[in-house]
Amino acid sequence: KEEISLGHELSIAFGARGSGNAAAHYEPDREVINLTKMKGAGSLAHEWGHAFDDIIGRHLGLGGFMSANIRDDVVPESMKELVKAMRWKPATDSEKSEYLKIKRGHAEKLLERAFGMVVREQNLDENQQEEWKQIKGNIEKEVQEHLDEEGFDSIWAMIDELSTFKKKITGHIIKKDSREQLRWMLFNAKQAYNYKADDLSVETDFYKNSVKADTIYSKEGKGYWKSTEEMFARAFACYIHDKLPWRSDYLCGHSECAAFMDYSGDKATVVKAIPQGEEREMLNQCFDKMFEECRERGILKSQEMAERKKVRRTR
């Protein structure tokens, strides 16, 4: 009972507060969940998720929702991992391969721009073009090699080689400002070529679909669906749906209802702004871990919450 009521802080009202089309809502200022008499059933888990996020955040000394203050040191690490997992997931091998292609393309464009700053290739005679081709080949090979602590030294050596060739062709060396620009280009090209995609993360479908929901339902408020507070509450309702050994339409009957039609492509598709599949399994594990940490730290105990509340009031 202490955990459910969040240390006897949370209250529930039935059709007694507010008006409008909302089936339910949570009021941070009063720490109360309101469920409408006719449509409130099915939203309790969602609103309890909001209450947990807000009330625990306040007791930890935050201004409110933990999910909106995720960089603060007082936020449990498991909560931080959960919020991160709502938006990011490990890339697949094909996604890593595609990203590395993009990185390589970026590096090639940087090199092309860098070489274009030195000389105009169309103005070179046949012998000069052959020498220029060899210089570019050597630099491309050097750029693709491992970026180590001496990376800058090798880059300056490359620029010196380019400057020597430029003077031979035009009678002018590469000026200081251009040398700095070339250093930036070659260094970034070297970084792009040497990028490791082992730990690459990509946006989850949960997040991408939430962004789409904001474009469809823009009248509800910009960024509402993709906000961490709303994504947390929707993910929590799904967690309760999966965790319960029985069906409870009252607690989480609306957990699967965040669906809409997307007409942006060639065919209309149904998009759900909730976690699904492996993403959902991962978030469920994160919720388990978060509640375990909260219990270990005594965060949900009424006595601990009362002590923290005293501290907050004396600040």
Side-chain angles (χ1 to χ4, degrees), residues 224-250:
Y224 169 84
W225 286 85
K226 71 177 181 181
S227 68
T228 51
E229 300 98 315
E230 285 302 319
M231 288 182 65
F232 177 85
R234 294 201 305 276
F236 176 74
C238 291
Y239 168 72
I240 294 299
H241 176 277
D242 296 346
K243 198 74 174 176
L244 287 175
W246 60 82
R247 173 175 170 173
S248 177
D249 290 339
Y250 196 86

Side-chain angles (χ1 to χ4, degrees), residues 21 66 105 110 137 144 155 231 273 278 294 301 304 311:
N21 296 322
M66 285 188 292
L110 283 172
Q144 292 176 27
I155 287 173
M231 288 182 65
E278 292 182 359
C294 286
K301 291 186 178 296
E304 295 289 335
V311 173

